[in-house]
Amino acid sequence: MHKPVVQVSLDLISTDEALHMAEIAVEAGVDWLEAGTPLILAEGMHSIRALHHAFPDHPIVADLKIMDGGALETRLAAEAGASWVVVMGRAHDATVRAVVREAHKSGVRVMGDVLGGTDYGADGARMEELGVDAIIAHLGFDERRENPAASVFDFLERVVARTNLPVQAVGGIRIEDLAALPRMGAPLVVVGAPLVIATDAFAPAADEETLRGVLRQVVQRVHAAM
């Protein structure tokens, strides 16, 4: 079994806000920090570099959602201090292979994201064969907006069954569900919206003390889960 990890998703649009929220998360015991897609789009590789500089002992996940130009994007993220990059399962095999090759050269690891797939389990298995290091079972933001009843739990079991890699589950997960994820085969636990981020504004959603307390509780429960 893989060791449980707690990652906080910094889906903000300001590096300063991301750094402040990261400080709260680190104080609460979070293991990994994610430079979310909105943050990278708004602030570029500078945001990854700033997070790495401020928290050099914490792995930084660069949620680039790579679809093409895999080697270049992976190299840029690695040079900025990322520990992980994210490539999409909908990308061509050539792109996934390019990301994996460059990641091996650059000393970073790769998450393969099955967002938008037609057979989530098969997509995860395919990306494992192509050499990624972890799988993200992901139900997207827009999908959930159109169908609030949908959840990653609708297909998480199928993804876990088809891979030996650590799995991360994203989409439609309540805070009270997080501690159960490692026992379900998804030990890479990510905390994001709606606790951390007000999704309409891509800004912090909770006051600092509430956020710190909830994150600390999540960390304790997830780390104790296995």
Side-chain angles (χ1 to χ4, degrees), residues 7 32-35 40 45 48 59-66 70-88 95-96 98-104 106-113 127 132-136 168:
Q7 169 183 323
W32 296 355
L33 302 171
E34 176 190 332
I40 296 173
M45 294 297 162
I48 298 172
I60 308 298
V61 177
D63 190 9
L64 293 165
K65 292 186 171 65
I66 298 171
L72 174 60
E73 293 193 29
T74 300
R75 185 166 66 253
L76 289 172
E79 290 171 350
S83 303
W84 290 84
V85 296
V86 178
V87 63
M88 303 307 293
T95 296
V96 181
V99 170
V100 169
R101 283 195 302 269
E102 184 60 38
H104 288 169
S106 302
V108 302
R109 288 180 285 178
V110 181
M111 292 184 178
D113 189 335
M127 287 207 285
V132 306
D133 303 288
I135 302 296
I136 306 175
Q168 183 174 89

Side-chain angles (χ1 to χ4, degrees), residues 145-158:
R145 289 288 290 264
E146 287 195 358
N147 182 11
S151 164
V152 68
F153 292 122
D154 297 338
F155 56 86
L156 176 60
E157 186 176 354
R158 281 177 275 153

Side-chain angles (χ1 to χ4, degrees), residues 24 37 50 63 106 111 118 120 125 140 146 153 169 180 184-185 211 220:
I24 293 170
T37 310
D63 190 9
S106 302
M111 292 184 178
T118 54
Y120 296 106
E146 287 195 358
F153 292 122
M184 298 175 70
L211 181 59
Q220 291 171 349

Side-chain angles (χ1 to χ4, degrees), residues 124-139:
R126 166 181 155 263
M127 287 207 285
E128 179 174 1
E129 291 177 359
L130 291 170
V132 306
D133 303 288
I135 302 296
I136 306 175
H138 191 177
L139 185 75

Side-chain angles (χ1 to χ4, degrees), residues 9-13 17 21 37-39 138-146 148 170-173 191-206:
S9 176
L10 303 170
D11 283 333
L12 298 155
I13 55 175
E17 285 188 343
M21 184 170 291
T37 310
L39 180 62
H138 191 177
L139 185 75
F141 174 80
D142 292 326
E143 291 178 80
R144 299 196 311 276
R145 289 288 290 264
E146 287 195 358
V170 180
I173 300 175
V191 186
L195 170 67
V196 178
I197 307 299
T199 53
D200 289 331
F202 291 97

